[in-house]
Amino acid sequence: MSGRVLTPDEVIGELRDGMTIGIGGWGSRRKPMALVRAILRSPLRDLTVVSYAGPDVGLLIASGQARRIVTGFASLDSIALEPHFRNGRQRGTVELTELDEGMLHWGLLAAAHRLPFLPIRAGLGSDVMRVNPELRTVRSPYADTGHPDGEELVAMPALRLDAALVHMNRADAAGNGQYLGPDPYFDDLFCLAAERAYVSCERIVPELTGPPQSLLINRAMAHGVTETPNGAHFTSCVPDYGRDEEFQRRYAKAAADPDDWRRFRAEYLDGDEAAYQKAARQLWAARPRCAWLPAPRPGGAMARSWPARWG
């Protein structure tokens, strides 16, 4: 289906309670955070979230909107374990399907190809099989050296999604999406595994140019596109900007104390997206500057850790 240009709130308005939602990106990198913040403002509940998890999952656990997380890890990259994920698991407020990263990939791939499962070696001999007793193994019908009766493999079930949310550097109004950083992650598989996929982007442009391999999302995958400048903040969206490490540290510190989290939420999350961006910009402006370390210029080789429009 060719995409439609929507607002973030209109995108989230098409989701329903109890859905299985896939969120692209990886850890604290190129997450569709403006769409996640739109979920926080919505009444959505009982969500199953499939993600290479970062603060997207953390925020949805903190808000009580995620019932189950399906992931291979939950990390902020420079902070090893996502703090709200830790809190949710320690307090028993969220369910977890814990998979090997390769199994998560294979589950999305199976769903993308409309297959019931795909065989994989990952998981064998590990506690993945113990903590997921519903997983089954299959035996290859083909004998080979070392496996005269056929090799035993994990039958990774398809991870079918009701909806997928991904963030691109650029997109056009039809829903074609382009990443400009070093890694596509698995955003295309999230879209292909979903009944409906929505693309947020830093900027909607009239025409996408560049290496063909950077054109990750095609319009047949997307049911809607939304322009969200700085919409991955505080995660990275290289080369437009890097991760906002200072903001991320503040986020993680607040998660450790309920009173601190209430203050953080009131300052950054209780308003709309414009209010969030204004508060984050004010925090950046208040930081001390090093006279000997000039800010990188737009278009420089190193991605700045703040959006270009902040100065």
Side-chain angles (χ1 to χ4, degrees):
M1 174 178 178
S2 181
R4 297 167 294 146
V5 178
L6 304 171
T7 67
D9 289 332
E10 286 172 337
V11 169
I12 302 310
E14 298 195 359
L15 308 183
R16 297 292 180 266
D17 291 350
M19 275 188 166
T20 297
I21 298 175
I23 302 180
W26 180 279
S28 192
R29 310 176 206 179
R30 214 177 69 229
K31 288 288 182 175
M33 296 299 287
L35 294 179
V36 172
R37 289 187 286 268
I39 294 177
L40 301 183
R41 297 191 298 270
S42 80
L44 286 173
R45 287 293 182 270
D46 296 323
L47 301 176
T48 295
V49 181
V50 180
S51 174
Y52 288 97
D56 53 331
V57 160
L59 284 170
L60 295 175
I61 291 174
S63 70
Q65 291 167 286
R67 178 181 60 82
R68 174 176 291 275
I69 305 300
V70 181
T71 191
F73 60 79
S75 175
L76 300 181
D77 292 332
S78 58
I79 297 173
L81 185 60
E82 213 294 331
H84 288 298
F85 174 83
R86 179 200 293 117
N87 293 343
R89 291 300 296 156
Q90 289 177 341
R91 296 167 185 166
T93 58
V94 66
E95 300 171 16
L96 175 65
T97 298
E98 185 177 8
L99 300 170
D100 173 89
E101 293 173 25
M103 296 173 73
L104 186 61
H105 174 199
W106 237 231
L108 293 171
L109 189 64
H113 287 288
R114 303 299 187 260
L115 295 171
F117 72 93
L118 279 174
I120 189 172
R121 294 187 180 93
L124 290 172
S126 77
D127 276 350
V128 167
M129 304 301 289
R130 179 181 62 80
V131 300
N132 297 286
E134 71 279 6
L135 289 175
R136 298 291 182 263
T137 61
V138 294
R139 190 167 295 279
S140 169
Y142 305 106
D144 59 20
T145 303
H147 302 95
D149 297 323
E151 183 178 2
E152 186 179 27
L153 301 163
V154 175
M156 179 59 208
L159 293 173
R160 297 185 179 91
L161 310 174
D162 295 308
L165 309 175
V166 301
H167 189 75
M168 295 285 108
N169 296 90
R170 305 289 181 267
D172 64 20
N176 299 297
Q178 180 181 36
Y179 76 100
L180 301 176
D183 199 320
Y185 309 120
F186 296 102
D187 288 3
D188 52 339
L189 288 185
F190 276 99
C191 291
L192 289 168
E195 291 297 319
R196 305 176 69 82
Y198 300 92
V199 179
S200 64
C201 66
E202 292 296 310
R203 190 161 75 244
I204 292 177
V205 296
E207 182 180 7
L208 297 173
T209 60
Q213 63 268 27
S214 70
L215 304 176
L216 187 66
I217 308 299
N218 71 64
R219 64 183 184 274
M221 303 177 188
H223 285 71
V225 59
T226 183
E227 186 177 67
T228 58
N230 316 327
H233 185 270
F234 53 96
T235 73
S236 63
C237 189
V238 175
D240 292 315
Y241 46 88
R243 185 183 305 115
D244 191 336
E245 296 286 1
E246 177 60 30
F247 192 99
Q248 180 165 277
R249 283 191 291 270
R250 178 173 290 224
Y251 163 84
K253 182 179 179 181
D257 181 85
D259 290 335
D260 286 348
W261 180 248
R262 279 190 288 271
R263 286 189 288 270
F264 182 96
R265 189 181 62 205
E267 185 172 3
Y268 296 109
L269 301 174
D270 285 350
D272 60 13
E273 182 65 13
Y276 170 85
Q277 294 291 340
K278 180 180 179 181
R281 183 168 59 248
Q282 289 173 340
L283 176 64
W284 174 83
R287 296 176 194 173
R289 301 291 190 271
C290 296
W292 50 268
L293 184 62
R297 295 186 302 275
M302 182 180 68
R304 55 175 69 212
S305 60
W306 62 92
R309 65 181 58 207
W310 290 4

